[in-house]
């Protein structure tokens, strides 16, 4: 499967059945099954971890942030609310439309967050912090390597990534169909070795500042904060 085909699959999925499913997971409706509720909890824990890290540094107000793969704005909106200047993008037009509507409804002033439809490799500019959460799971490591290198080129200071870690236990869960809601409900899922992701970051001029791990019954995400050397 080539990167082009993977991108086409992801784009089609999140503009069709995937959009409705993940909008509900990321939303507030209670009309969810057990797996979807668990994924909602896990995803929010990842968002909360990243926001806690940024708040700890006490430099959110006024800094430029690129939220690559913003989904429905779960991270972009609270960052904008905290005063960051957020450039948010997603490969899915429907996701971006939903994020834009949510921002207008939830923020008193949404002028410091801009949403646009772009795939990750098309992003340009320079930002204090670049954040990419729950995106790399859709791409194999050879493609993720190029994506991380491009994200690194956009970051002046900090790069935060999350990915599904490749471990024996999670590989077994994935194989028996318990790790995700089912083959008809998601795109293909790729796990990544943590040491490989760290090597890519080091090769691109960063060192690891913080690590985090979100682990629920059906959601597993390793979070890395890398800072430019």
């Amino acid at each position: 499967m080539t990167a082009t085909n993977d991108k086409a699959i992801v784009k089609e999925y999140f503009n069709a059945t995937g959009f409705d499913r993940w909008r509900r997971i990321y939303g507030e409706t209670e009309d969810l099954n057990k797996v979807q509720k668990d994924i909602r909890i896990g995803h929010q824990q990842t968002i909360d971890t990243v926001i806690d890290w940024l708040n700890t540094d006490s430099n959110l107000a006024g800094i430029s942030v690129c939220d690559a793969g913003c989904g429905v704005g779960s991270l972009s909106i609270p960052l904008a609310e905290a005063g960051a200047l957020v450039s948010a993008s997603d490969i899915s037009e429907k996701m971006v439309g939903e994020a834009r509507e949510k921002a207008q409804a939830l923020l008193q002033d949404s002028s410091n967050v801009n949403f646009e439809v772009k795939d990750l490799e098309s992003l340009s500019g320079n930002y204090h912090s670049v954040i990419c959460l729950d995106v790399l799971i859709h791409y194999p490591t050879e493609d993720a390597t190029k994506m991380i290198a491009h994200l690194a080129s956009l970051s002046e200071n900090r790069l935060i990534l999350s990915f599904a870690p490749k471990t024996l236990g999670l590989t077994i869960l994935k194989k028996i169909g318990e790790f995700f809601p089912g083959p008809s409900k998601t795109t293909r899922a790729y796990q990544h070795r943590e040491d490989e992701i760290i090597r890519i970051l080091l090769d691109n001029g960063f060192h690891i500042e913080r690590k985090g791990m979100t682990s629920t019954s059906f959601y597993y995400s390793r979070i890395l904060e890398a800072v430019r050397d």
Side-chain angles (χ1 to χ4, degrees):
M1 182 66 65
T2 66
T4 300
N5 287 340
D6 274 315
K7 283 198 297 184
I9 291 170
V10 171
K11 184 175 182 178
E12 180 181 2
Y13 173 72
F14 282 105
N15 275 322
T17 57
F19 169 70
D20 293 328
R21 183 166 295 109
W22 288 97
R23 178 178 60 174
R24 289 168 57 218
I25 290 174
Y26 294 154
E28 297 180 357
T29 178
E30 293 303 316
D31 183 24
L32 299 173
N33 62 38
K34 178 181 178 181
V35 173
Q36 291 169 332
K37 287 181 179 179
D38 184 83
I39 292 173
R40 173 189 287 180
I41 292 169
H43 177 74
Q44 188 58 51
Q45 288 178 6
T46 293
I47 296 292
D48 291 343
T49 294
V50 171
I51 293 175
D52 284 346
W53 286 353
L54 300 180
N55 281 330
T56 297
D57 293 340
S58 301
N59 66 348
L60 265 178
I63 70 166
S64 58
V65 178
C66 172
D67 182 9
C70 66
V72 298
S74 302
L75 177 65
S76 297
I77 292 172
L79 290 183
E81 190 172 31
L85 306 176
V86 184
S87 177
S89 60
D90 199 277
I91 196 172
S92 166
E93 182 178 357
K94 284 193 172 183
M95 287 287 189
V96 168
E98 179 75 8
R100 194 176 285 127
E101 289 182 9
K102 288 180 64 176
Q104 291 171 351
L106 295 173
L107 297 174
Q108 290 185 345
D109 180 6
S110 60
S111 62
N112 60 329
V113 57
N114 178 60
F115 294 98
E116 59 182 341
V117 181
K118 277 190 175 182
D119 64 67
L120 190 149
E121 293 97 325
S122 298
L123 297 177
S124 60
N126 295 108
Y127 307 90
H128 176 280
S129 298
V130 176
I131 304 172
C132 184
L133 303 182
D134 293 350
V135 172
L136 298 179
I137 194 171
H138 301 297
Y139 301 96
T141 298
E142 57 266 30
D143 298 329
T145 300
K146 299 174 184 177
M147 292 177 173
I148 295 171
H150 182 64
L151 291 174
S153 73
L154 307 178
S155 173
E156 298 173 342
N157 182 272
R158 175 170 52 204
L159 176 56
I160 298 177
L161 304 172
S162 75
F163 57 94
K166 188 174 181 62
T167 66
L168 178 59
L170 297 188
T171 299
I172 293 172
L173 283 176
K174 181 175 179 290
K175 286 182 178 297
I176 64 176
E178 296 178 1
F179 185 67
F180 292 99
S184 65
K185 299 182 180 181
T186 187
T187 64
R188 67 184 66 239
Y190 296 97
Q191 296 166 272
H192 301 289
R193 290 174 54 92
E194 181 177 341
D195 58 353
E196 180 67 13
I197 299 298
I198 291 176
R199 183 194 64 77
I200 297 167
L201 290 167
L202 296 178
D203 288 346
N204 283 278
F206 288 79
H207 65 269
I208 304 303
E209 187 74 12
R210 295 183 178 101
K211 293 184 180 182
M213 181 70 195
T214 302
S215 179
T216 66
S217 296
F218 299 97
Y219 177 98
Y220 299 87
S221 183
R222 169 63 80 185
I223 318 163
L224 299 178
E225 178 189 31
V227 174
R228 188 169 289 283
D229 293 331

